[in-house]
Each structure stands twice: as structure tokens, then as C-alpha cells.
Amino acid sequence: MSVFDNGNIALLLRDKMLAFLEKPRGLGGSHYVFEASGRRVAYCYIRKNASTAFKRLIVDSSPHREALEDCGSRIRFLERYHREDRLKALAACDYRIFVYRDVLRRMASLFVNKFVLSEGAADISKDVAQRLGRPVEALSFERFVEAYLDGARNVNELDPHVWEQVSHLRPLHYTHAIPLERLEADMASILGRDRAREYFGRKVNVAGAGKGIDAADVASWDVASLRARHGLDGSLPTYAQLLRADLASCLSRIYRRDERMIRRIRQQ
């Protein structure tokens, strides 16, 4: 089940479970409130979890949408007009939602989107280059996992795109914990079928699920080689090609709290 009865099930974040989060100071912040069908919705913003589609939805639904150009970007618009930090205000919303996704695929998708396709990658590319002392063109998925992610004391101290999913949550009773693969269907209960299809029926920023590259050990290919191959025939590595057994095991260890969270959600 992805929908939780607020009166009976306090999803993960009861007071006695707050120690489970152990999140560094400053995380667990970005929640944006918007209206849908006369109801107030509090949305927890987690990068790489359909956040692009949610930004479009909130901007399009906003009474302030004409100010988008002045803000310069959707995220700045959301920060100015829709951000809500007060727990009481968030708890008073009719719906409190977050989207979660498979831990391994999330990182594989991020690697392809941000480094191979260079989609909105300036901040994370700069952070990776500074920390590893080499340009992202020399970065392989293998090195991204072993040197950048596993080489850090805590991934929540790296670029926000790689923070744990659980680190974004607040001590709230979330009414909807939505798996990415069920996003359109579950959002239909809030937005209605047509609107849910409009914003979540077409997947945005999908990577790792293409035809693949006809070669061995693609996880060790650097970004420059992957970009060249994509330019040649449009091919991109699949999830399976990137998630080599040793790298998958490493990611599961790094993101063990996310995997624990997902198991608990699915057991409800």
C-alpha cells in the first residue's frame, strides 16, 4: 500500500523513531504546499524522484504563476511562493506526500542524466570535479560509486542530488508514500485521473532503461566515452549494465537507511 491512513498509521516518523533518521543538521527541509481540487497538499521535494514533474505541476497550479519569469527558475519560484517549513502548517494539510524509488536505479539514473546527458548538472559536476580532482569527463559509474559516494564520510554532506531519500523527510504523518512506478495511479486519487496523466503519465528524465551498449563492463567506461557512443548511435547504458554486482552491493550499504525505509513502507 502506498496510501497511509493518517489516523491509524504514522509512517515511520513517530517520535520514538526519530533516532532512525540521524540526519545532519539542515536536512529534511524542502516541503512545498499547493492546492489540488480544493485540498491543500504538502509535497516533500526529493531530487531524482519525479521532482521535475512536481515542479511543473505546482507552478501551473499556482495563483502566482505569472511571476515565474521574474524568479528565473521553477525551483526559485517554489522557494518564494510555496515553501513551508512550519511543522504545524504542514501537518494541517489535507495530504502530505513523498515519492520514493529503488535506491540502485536512482543512482544509475542520476549518473546518466547528470553526467552523460548533462541535464542540469552544473552544481553536482562541480562538486564531483572538486572532490575527486578530475573533470567529470573522466568519471565512470564505477568511480562515481566507489570514490565519490563511498569515499565520503556521509553522502548527506555531498551534492543534494545524492542525499538519502529518508534524510528529506520531516517528523510528520505522511498520508501518501508513493513508489515512483505507481506515481500516476496514486496521484490520480489526489489530482483526478486526467491531471495525473498530464503531469505524471509521461516520464521525465528517464535514463538507464534504453537499448544499452553492446560492450562489456560499461560501468567502467568514462563519461567522455559514454557521450561519444551516445552521439554516434544514441545508445545509453542500461541499469543492468551500470549496476554491476559489486557496485550494487556498495550502493545498498551506502543507502541502507533508504532500503530499510522502503522495506518498512512495503510491510505496512
Side-chain angles (χ1 to χ4, degrees):
M1 295 291 289
S2 60
V3 178
F4 294 83
D5 182 341
N6 185 38
N8 297 316
I9 301 177
L11 174 62
L12 291 179
L13 300 177
R14 302 174 191 232
D15 289 343
K16 67 181 181 179
M17 301 182 77
L18 287 179
F20 165 67
L21 295 179
E22 302 169 350
K23 58 192 172 196
R25 191 171 185 176
L27 299 192
S30 298
H31 283 62
Y32 303 111
V33 173
F34 64 101
E35 291 196 7
S37 303
R39 301 292 185 91
R40 286 176 65 77
V41 182
Y43 160 65
C44 176
Y45 177 70
I46 304 177
R47 292 167 179 82
K48 292 304 299 172
N49 291 17
S51 56
T52 299
F54 272 100
K55 284 186 285 189
R56 290 178 51 242
L57 168 65
I58 298 173
V59 170
D60 291 351
S61 304
S62 176
H64 310 288
R65 56 187 172 273
E66 292 182 0
L68 175 61
E69 187 173 346
D70 292 337
C71 293
S73 68
R74 290 192 180 101
I75 193 63
R76 290 176 182 167
F77 176 90
L78 265 59
E79 286 289 310
R80 181 180 298 180
Y81 294 107
H82 291 272
R83 184 176 180 120
E84 181 57 76
D85 293 322
R86 298 167 299 172
L87 283 176
K88 287 186 177 180
L90 292 170
C93 290
D94 300 287
Y95 302 112
R96 296 166 297 283
I97 68 177
F98 71 92
V99 178
Y100 67 91
R101 69 181 296 183
D102 177 84
V103 169
L104 307 185
R105 290 190 171 202
R106 182 170 179 255
M107 286 300 105
S109 175
L110 183 149
F111 178 81
V112 174
N113 280 136
K114 298 302 179 185
F115 303 123
V116 181
L117 300 178
S118 301
E119 297 178 348
D123 290 342
I124 188 171
S125 294
K126 181 179 179 181
D127 191 59
V128 169
Q130 287 180 341
R131 289 178 183 272
L132 300 187
R134 60 179 64 188
V136 295
E137 288 75 14
L139 183 72
S140 64
F141 185 69
E142 176 183 69
R143 187 155 178 78
F144 173 64
V145 173
E146 295 179 344
Y148 181 66
L149 298 178
D150 200 30
R153 181 179 62 179
N154 187 323
V155 289
N156 294 332
E157 296 174 351
L158 299 175
D159 182 87
H161 285 89
V162 303
W163 288 352
E164 297 168 300
Q165 295 170 73
V166 73
S167 74
H168 295 75
L169 304 180
R170 301 290 299 277
L172 290 169
H173 293 190
Y174 288 89
T175 60
H176 292 63
I178 305 174
L180 185 65
E181 62 271 18
R182 284 190 47 84
L183 185 55
E184 180 184 353
D186 284 11
M187 284 303 295
S189 67
I190 296 174
L191 302 176
R193 186 176 302 171
D194 291 342
R195 245 178 132 205
R197 183 182 303 115
E198 178 183 355
Y199 288 96
F200 304 109
R202 179 178 64 86
K203 292 182 173 59
V204 180
N205 289 344
V206 175
K211 65 178 183 180
I213 296 174
D214 185 16
D217 199 18
V218 175
S220 67
W221 283 33
D222 60 29
V223 166
S225 300
L226 291 170
R227 287 178 182 172
R229 184 60 177 264
H230 180 62
L232 181 66
D233 61 10
S235 61
L236 290 169
T238 63
Y239 290 129
Q241 288 181 312
L242 292 179
L243 294 169
R244 209 172 61 202
D246 60 320
L247 301 179
S249 178
C250 186
L251 285 170
S252 291
R253 175 173 50 77
I254 295 169
Y255 291 99
R256 58 188 175 276
R257 296 195 310 146
D258 279 349
E259 294 203 329
R260 191 188 319 165
M261 177 190 72
I262 292 170
R263 285 196 302 272
R264 291 184 181 183
I265 291 172
R266 291 174 175 170
Q267 289 169 0
Q268 298 290 345

